[in-house]
Amino acid sequence: MRLRTAVVVSTVGLLAAAGTLVFASNASAATTLGASAAERGGRYFGTAVAASRLNDSAYTTILNREFNQVTPENEMKIDATEPQQGQFSYGNADRIVQYATSRGMKVRGHTLAWHSQQPGWMQNMSGSALRQAILNHVTQVATHFRGQVTWWDVVNEAYADGSSGARRDSNLQRTGNDWIEAAFRAADAADPNALLCYNDYNIDNWNDAKTQAVYRMVQDFKSRGVPIDCVGLQSHFTGGSNYPSNYRTTLSSFAALGVDVHITELDIRNAPTSAYSNVVNDCLAVSRCRVITVWGIRDSDSWRSSESPLLFDGSGNKKAAYNAVLTALNNGSDPGNPTTPPSTGNPTTPPPSGSCTASVTPGTVWGDRYNTSVTVNGASNWSVVVAITSPQRISATWSGSPSWDSSGYVMTMRSNGSGNTFGFTTMMNGNSSARPQIRSCTAS
Ligand code: G2I
């Protein structure tokens, strides 16, 4: 990192001496969580989002700036999406999906099957009627969001706490021990390209019976061809468990089974900087740790707001934990392995579109505008989402096919056969300091 900084500085010096101005922003020091995660091998840094807050501009300012992935906090749960049997309700979930995808953010669906937050009609069901109802639910919801949801939490929290290593007792569990794999198969049939995850809490400590039990389930699924692609560790620390020193072992052990690992609901009581940066460092050390999602933006948005567990305070200010996370992300050296598409776990399903990386090279700066070029690695057919900051505007592009979201500040650039580098000119419009951010790079 030091070496790279030195190279940038000396390049600027040389070019300045030759009469050309180049802005000295160092591409290795991203200034937002999502941009930095994207630079670490195409990872994602996301947040839970509540539809009710999308008209709070203090909230959306942070959301738009910092994150490249969202998880609807409550809007895709069973009680929200199927409040009456056979009557589906997608309004709030669709709002979040539309909000996110139009800005180039990826969506994690949460959650198709869960013992909790069931609508009244489902709570009262059992046996084969419940089995049929939950599989229909999985099929309908995954079909509705097909192509819009990158990862699904297919099954949430199916294991018991404590030392038993047993399944959690629930109406779903009582339909038969195979209910989890039946749900994964139904989701795979409905949306073959979505990455299908098992998600749980208290599976962070490698020595815990619950962690071991989930590990054995994933191992069994992989050995029998049950379509599972990822494991989500909720990681609600000190909401029952502390950050464990063997967390990295847990992440790498799951990854060694051939699944991606995601940190899906991260929050830590009182937001200690050390635990937050340890979590980031552990994820970056495991190339299949692809996503870190915090469970809310500001402390006031948190399900446990009295514990101030998040990265922004109630006024939207960055906390010390934010700086620790960004620094850990920026210092991470592991670029991951973006050229290997994630496994679908299902040999009959073609691999989903994978990730690539996109790196920014600052170009010439004039008084009113500047050029940027972007080089893509890991794919020949790609699309790269670039966000600029208002009131700046992109006025010209080259070597790609651009399209724009409704705001005009987010450009999706697709390869057009002219190579792996594209470029664009941005008008400053009075803001001479902001620079474009890479939101995502997708291979297709
Ligand atoms: O409980 C924390 C999380 C554990 N893992 C699964 C997650 O889905 C879960 O999220 C929380 C949400 O953060 C809460 O917002 O899940 C809770 C229960 O589904 C959510 O709480 C619900 C309340 O129970 C409702 O009374 C309330 O109307 O939030 C709703 C919206 O504020």
Side-chain angles (χ1 to χ4, degrees):
M1 176 109 136
R2 238 176 239 156
L3 183 62
R4 257 157 108 183
T5 307
V7 169
V8 169
V9 168
S10 73
T11 307
V12 171
L14 278 177
L15 292 175
T20 312
L21 271 175
V22 176
F23 71 80
S25 148
N26 182 349
S28 68
T31 56
T32 68
L33 303 172
S36 188
E39 288 178 3
R40 303 281 85 73
R43 286 175 167 87
Y44 294 92
F45 203 103
T47 178
V49 162
S52 59
R53 293 192 162 83
L54 288 178
N55 40 26
D56 171 347
S57 66
Y59 180 87
T60 55
T61 297
I62 303 171
L63 172 60
N64 298 353
R65 187 184 69 218
E66 296 289 342
F67 299 99
N68 59 357
Q69 181 271 326
V70 307
T71 305
E73 186 172 358
N74 290 299
E75 293 77 356
M76 288 186 179
K77 291 175 179 173
I78 313 175
D79 59 351
T81 50
E82 196 177 356
Q84 304 298 328
Q85 187 168 16
Q87 291 176 17
F88 292 85
S89 162
Y90 296 118
N92 283 330
D94 282 345
R95 267 184 78 205
I96 295 177
V97 169
Q98 164 64 21
Y99 188 95
T101 56
S102 68
R103 289 167 174 78
M105 303 166 179
K106 301 286 187 195
V107 178
R108 170 187 219 86
H110 173 80
T111 173
L112 293 171
W114 191 20
H115 69 276
S116 182
Q117 297 294 109
Q118 292 182 0
W121 64 267
M122 188 179 278
Q123 290 176 31
N124 296 326
M125 288 182 100
S126 62
S128 59
L130 175 59
R131 173 67 70 107
Q132 209 180 338
I134 192 68
L135 294 182
N136 181 57
H137 179 83
V138 169
T139 301
Q140 297 294 328
V141 177
T143 300
H144 176 81
F145 291 107
R146 180 163 51 202
Q148 298 179 288
V149 161
T150 304
W151 311 269
W152 265 114
D153 288 333
V154 179
V155 170
N156 195 38
E157 302 176 358
Y159 275 80
D161 293 315
S163 59
S164 71
R167 294 281 181 86
R168 172 193 296 278
D169 180 50
S170 72
N171 61 347
L172 294 171
Q173 180 62 27
R174 289 191 291 271
T175 66
N177 204 50
D178 63 341
W179 75 275
I180 298 181
E181 62 195 82
F184 274 84
R185 291 190 199 282
D188 186 49
D191 187 350
N193 287 327
L195 295 165
L196 307 180
C197 307
Y198 175 79
N199 191 51
D200 214 331
Y201 65 89
N202 284 357
I203 57 166
D204 314 291
N205 189 322
W206 180 238
N207 296 326
D208 282 356
K210 188 171 173 181
T211 310
Q212 292 294 315
V214 172
Y215 177 85
R216 283 193 300 275
M217 178 190 73
V218 176
Q219 189 176 42
D220 170 53
F221 281 10
K222 293 300 282 183
S223 74
R224 290 189 296 112
V226 177
I228 184 167
D229 305 301
C230 33
V231 172
L233 286 71
Q234 294 184 8
S235 305
H236 291 295
F237 289 126
T238 49
S241 68
N242 289 304
Y243 164 80
S245 58
N246 59 22
Y247 191 62
R248 192 179 298 191
T249 301
T250 307
L251 296 173
S252 61
S253 300
F254 276 115
L257 292 176
V259 288
D260 286 345
V261 283
H262 301 153
I263 298 163
T264 53
E265 303 182 15
L266 181 62
D267 51 17
I268 313 180
R269 183 185 295 162
N270 298 327
T273 53
S274 56
Y276 262 112
S277 42
N278 284 338
V279 168
V280 172
N281 289 335
D282 290 343
C283 180
L284 294 180
V286 176
S287 63
R288 292 199 78 143
C289 183
R290 309 298 310 153
V291 186
I292 301 175
T293 308
V294 286
W295 205 239
I297 297 180
R298 302 163 301 196
D299 286 334
S300 50
D301 303 316
S302 170
W303 67 299
R304 45 190 188 132
S305 54
S306 65
E307 299 177 23
S308 303
L310 295 174
L311 302 181
F312 295 87
D313 69 20
S315 307
N317 300 308
K318 295 171 181 174
K319 294 165 57 179
Y322 171 95
N323 294 322
V325 165
L326 182 62
T327 300
L329 285 168
N330 279 337
N331 286 343
S333 56
D334 180 0
N337 187 6
T339 55
T340 306
S343 156
T344 63
N346 179 350
T348 63
T349 307
S353 53
S355 294
C356 38
T357 55
S359 54
V360 167
T361 305
T364 306
V365 182
W366 295 272
D368 61 343
R369 65 194 191 281
Y370 60 93
N371 282 350
T372 305
S373 66
V374 178
T375 301
V376 178
N377 280 306
S380 49
N381 284 319
W382 39 263
S383 64
V384 175
V385 176
V386 179
I388 55 161
T389 303
S390 169
Q392 295 190 350
R393 285 279 175 181
I394 293 177
S395 58
T397 71
W398 54 94
S399 307
S401 303
S403 57
W404 303 86
D405 79 337
S406 54
S407 74
Y409 298 111
V410 179
M411 173 179 72
T412 300
M413 183 67 98
R414 291 191 172 75
S415 50
N416 66 357
S418 63
N420 270 15
T421 298
F422 66 88
F424 53 96
T425 301
T426 308
M427 303 305 299
M428 292 172 183
N429 295 333
N431 180 342
S432 58
S433 60
R435 288 297 179 263
Q437 291 169 10
I438 304 292
R439 282 275 172 77
S440 63
C441 185
T442 307
S444 51

